[in-house]
């Protein structure tokens, strides 16, 4: 006669035996083992897809954390030769802004129009400085230097704006430096030549620079880097 303590207790309705009680195939069932009822299925365990790490505690799976805010990294796509500096396909696509987010479209037009006006003003300034040599040679030399710098900045601004439109981060950084140079020129022109127009040009350049570093613009540059 069997011991009453060895008699298996009746199973409660709706209870499911743990999966750990199932003996491995080919082995003898242990004493007191109750086979699972017909149609029983062990509960499936949720595992992340193959090749993906399990999410950390407090972070939902499939939604990686985002740092947000401003994030600066030195560009790694710098030009290696002169051909890398020039716009791809020449200047034929100067007025095309297809695929750019709104922030970069506005920034691009500011840089492009400002560069074209700078080139035009530089050409006119060259003639003016030559006339000034007959009246005040000392001042004319300073004006000529500033005109040449403004002319070079205008040309560089056009080229850099087109490279920025191609998703080149080094061009965006270079345009930021151009904005800083325009500040220096505004200070010099305002203090020595009493010209207020340079300050207006700097404010416009500052607005274009801010637009290039907004989160939506940074996301576009990151996506453009992934496509290269």
């Amino acid at each position: 006669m069997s011991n009453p303590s060895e008699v298996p207790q009746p199973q409660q309705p709706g209870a499911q035996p743990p999966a750990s009680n199932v003996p491995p195939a080919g082995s003898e069932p242990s004493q007191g083992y109750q086979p699972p009822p017909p149609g029983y299925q062990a509960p499936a365990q949720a595992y992340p897809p193959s090749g993906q790490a399990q999410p950390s505690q407090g972070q939902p799976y499939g939604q990686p954390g985002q740092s947000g805010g401003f994030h600066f990294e030195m560009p790694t796509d710098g030009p290696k030769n002169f051909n890398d500096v020039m716009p791809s396909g020449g200047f034929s696509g100067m007025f095309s802004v297809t695929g750019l987010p709104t922030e970069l479209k506005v920034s691009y037009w500011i840089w492009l129009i400002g560069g074209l006006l700078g080139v035009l003003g530089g050409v006119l300034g060259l003639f003016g400085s030559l006339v000034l040599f007959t009246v005040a040679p000392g001042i004319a030399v300073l004006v000529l230097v500033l005109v040449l710098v403004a002319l070079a900045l205008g040309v560089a601004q056009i080229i850099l704006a087109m490279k920025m439109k191609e998703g080149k981060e080094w061009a965006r950084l270079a345009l930021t430096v151009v904005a800083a140079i325009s500040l220096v020129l505004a200070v010099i022109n305002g203090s020595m030549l009493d010209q207020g127009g340079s300050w207006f040009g700097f404010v416009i350049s500052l607005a274009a620079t801010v637009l290039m570093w907004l989160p939506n613009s940074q996301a576009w540059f990151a996506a453009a880097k992934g496509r290269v």
Side-chain angles (χ1 to χ4, degrees):
M1 178 179 294
S2 59
N3 193 337
S5 60
E6 297 177 358
V7 177
Q9 299 296 324
Q11 199 170 12
Q12 296 295 330
Q16 296 180 354
S20 59
N21 287 344
V22 180
S27 62
E28 292 293 333
S30 59
Q31 188 175 9
Y33 164 74
Q34 283 287 343
Y40 166 76
Q41 293 182 355
Q45 296 184 4
Y47 293 98
S50 176
Q52 298 184 8
Q54 201 164 3
S56 58
Q57 187 176 4
Q59 179 179 343
Y61 175 72
Q63 298 180 1
Q66 298 179 357
S67 57
F70 177 78
H71 179 66
F72 174 77
E73 290 182 357
M74 288 300 296
T76 57
D77 56 351
K80 299 178 177 59
N81 49 53
F82 181 76
N83 292 330
D84 292 341
V85 176
M86 299 305 296
S88 301
F91 294 90
S92 58
M94 179 183 299
F95 299 104
S96 176
V97 291
T98 305
L100 293 179
T102 303
E103 294 86 346
L104 286 182
K105 286 180 180 179
V106 176
S107 178
Y108 175 76
W109 286 121
I110 292 176
W111 288 118
L112 182 63
I113 295 174
L116 293 174
L117 292 177
V119 171
L120 179 61
V123 173
L124 296 177
L126 286 176
F127 293 103
S129 61
L130 293 178
V131 176
L132 191 60
F133 268 104
T134 61
V135 180
I139 299 179
V141 172
L142 178 60
V143 171
L144 180 61
V145 172
L146 293 177
V147 166
L148 290 176
V149 172
L151 182 61
L153 281 178
V155 175
Q157 196 168 304
I158 296 173
I159 296 176
L160 291 174
M162 297 188 68
K163 297 302 292 185
M164 182 270 291
K165 185 179 64 171
E166 297 174 9
K168 302 300 182 181
E169 293 184 332
W170 66 265
R172 178 176 60 166
L173 181 61
L175 286 173
T176 306
V177 175
V178 170
I181 296 176
S182 66
L183 172 61
V184 176
L185 292 178
V187 173
I188 295 176
N189 290 336
S191 59
M192 300 184 64
L193 302 179
D194 194 21
Q195 295 181 358
S198 298
W199 284 107
F200 176 76
F202 165 69
V203 172
I204 297 299
S205 299
L206 179 62
T209 302
V210 172
L211 288 172
M212 291 190 304
W213 292 97
L214 291 179
N216 197 27
S217 300
Q218 294 205 64
W220 183 86
F221 275 99
K225 183 191 296 185
R227 291 193 300 265
V228 177

